[in-house]
Amino acid sequence: MKSLYLSLLFLLMFSATASTAETDEQTLARLQAEAAEVETLASNFIQEKHLEIFNDVLITHGRFYYQRPDKLRWELLKPVKTGFVLNGESGRRWHERSGNQESFTIERDPVMNIVARELLAWTRVDLEELAGRYAIRVDSHAPVRLHLTPLTDTAGFLEFLKIEFAPAAGYVHQVEVHEPGGDFTRIRFTDTRANETLEQELF
């Protein structure tokens, strides 16, 4: 009798768990809904470059700002100050060592076009945009972790992406960019603040 009771209890617990578990489609829809509530972001980040040929990890520190729909500021602070600002279709970039600051448009700058498109797609959780370039797999529902594999040849510089989102927040917590051969870059966002008023001079 005790064995039967335990079996029934297990079945009830399993049934309740199964009924409340999200499908991949529900998780992605929830993620998009949460991201739609994010108007601005301000965050620090730590970028780790892991190279197969070195034991040491190359670390840089920086800041990231975003304002919906298409304003970005991405700047590395240590060890060298460099970065860019995007405001719609145009922007500017700078580098401490050269002392240069130059303007660009994403229409005429293929590299900045790719960088801006990727950052905006991650930040806005634009799954339609991402699905046009990647096969998307949900690796975890809580926290949400996505595995993105390019649909087309990337000239040997990208094998796959891993993106982890902050719990119930709709913004990225960590990104890993994996290259063929084992090298990868991990970007961890820290002290993220959502929906605060940002100074427009940032952009």
Side-chain angles (χ1 to χ4, degrees), residues 103-162:
S103 299
F104 67 86
T105 63
I106 59 176
E107 180 182 4
R108 296 184 178 182
D109 191 320
V111 173
M112 291 308 303
N113 191 333
I114 293 172
V115 171
R117 183 174 61 176
E118 289 294 328
L119 285 176
L120 285 171
W122 303 346
T123 305
R124 295 189 298 221
V125 192
D126 190 340
L127 296 180
E128 183 176 352
E129 168 77 14
L130 291 170
R133 302 195 301 278
Y134 300 97
I136 301 174
R137 185 181 77 213
V138 179
D139 279 350
S140 171
H141 295 264
V144 179
R145 285 195 295 266
L146 305 182
H147 186 286
L148 280 62
T149 304
L151 296 174
T152 59
D153 181 33
T154 59
F157 74 89
L158 175 63
E159 187 171 4
F160 61 89
L161 298 171
K162 290 183 177 181

Side-chain angles (χ1 to χ4, degrees), residues 3-145:
S3 176
L4 178 61
Y5 172 78
L6 291 174
S7 297
L8 289 173
L9 181 62
F10 173 78
L11 287 173
L12 287 172
M13 291 175 61
F14 177 80
S15 176
T17 301
S19 65
T20 57
E22 284 186 326
T23 65
D24 290 355
E25 290 75 15
Q26 289 172 329
T27 293
L28 294 175
R30 171 173 60 82
L31 185 63
Q32 282 188 300
E34 291 168 353
E37 300 297 318
V38 177
E39 294 295 327
T40 67
L41 288 171
S43 181
N44 298 323
F45 66 84
I46 301 170
Q47 182 172 292
E48 307 169 359
K49 183 68 175 179
H50 296 254
L51 302 174
E52 283 290 301
I53 61 173
F54 296 122
N55 291 326
D56 294 336
V57 178
L58 306 178
I59 297 178
T60 55
H61 298 260
R63 289 185 300 211
F64 167 70
Y65 300 92
Y66 162 74
Q67 181 172 308
R68 185 178 293 276
D70 53 12
K71 293 182 179 181
L72 289 172
R73 183 183 184 97
W74 181 276
E75 56 184 336
L76 299 178
L77 302 175
K78 294 188 298 184
V80 178
K81 291 183 179 180
T82 182
F84 72 90
V85 167
L86 179 72
N87 191 337
E89 297 293 310
S90 61
R92 67 184 188 279
R93 56 188 166 202
W94 61 90
H95 198 290
E96 181 182 46
R97 286 178 178 167
S98 67
N100 292 334
Q101 183 170 159
E102 61 180 2
S103 299
F104 67 86
T105 63
I106 59 176
E107 180 182 4
R108 296 184 178 182
D109 191 320
V111 173
M112 291 308 303
N113 191 333
I114 293 172
V115 171
R117 183 174 61 176
E118 289 294 328
L119 285 176
L120 285 171
W122 303 346
T123 305
R124 295 189 298 221
V125 192
D126 190 340
L127 296 180
E128 183 176 352
E129 168 77 14
L130 291 170
R133 302 195 301 278
Y134 300 97
I136 301 174
R137 185 181 77 213
V138 179
D139 279 350
S140 171
H141 295 264
V144 179
R145 285 195 295 266

